[in-house]
Amino acid sequence: MIAVAQRAAAVARTQATPHIGYRVHGTTGSPVLLVMGLAMSGRGWESQIEGLAPHHRVISFDHLGIGTSDRLRRPLSMKSMAQDALRVLADAGFERA
């Protein structure tokens, strides 16, 4: 089931640079943004996505410097990571999650 959910959610990338790779899983329900810890790919949420996607729009993403996102060109901070999460939401068409 996890493999099917992953195949159904193609990787998108934010329009503005640096590009952040993200996936939107599910087709109905309220949005849920999954934020992985540092140095981990958003694919680490696969088990949770499987359970959430039938009832929610689940957004997972790779932080800058990880996986499908652009290479890290600036130091990370809590503020910049929060701003990146908001960029992903906006790019995916959500105001909040």
Side-chain angles (χ1 to χ4, degrees), residues 27-62:
T27 58
T28 61
S30 58
V32 174
L33 177 66
L34 301 176
V35 181
M36 185 53 74
L38 260 161
M40 296 286 295
S41 167
R43 288 186 164 259
W45 292 113
E46 289 177 349
S47 296
Q48 290 80 9
I49 291 167
E50 181 180 4
L52 290 168
H55 310 287
H56 299 279
R57 301 292 311 273
V58 183
I59 306 101
S60 62
F61 68 99
D62 295 334

Side-chain angles (χ1 to χ4, degrees), residues 1-2 16 18 21-22 24-25 30 37-38 40 43 49 51 53 69 71 74 79 82 86 94:
M1 183 69 137
I2 292 172
Y22 66 92
V24 179
H25 310 266
S30 58
L38 260 161
M40 296 286 295
R43 288 186 164 259
I49 291 167
S69 292
R71 198 171 58 121
R74 60 174 159 77
K79 182 178 179 179
L86 290 173
F94 300 102

Side-chain angles (χ1 to χ4, degrees), residues 64-86:
L64 289 173
I66 304 295
T68 60
S69 292
D70 282 354
R71 198 171 58 121
L72 187 61
R73 298 178 188 263
R74 60 174 159 77
L76 285 177
S77 68
M78 291 299 267
K79 182 178 179 179
S80 69
M81 290 170 66
Q83 289 169 334
D84 290 346
L86 290 173

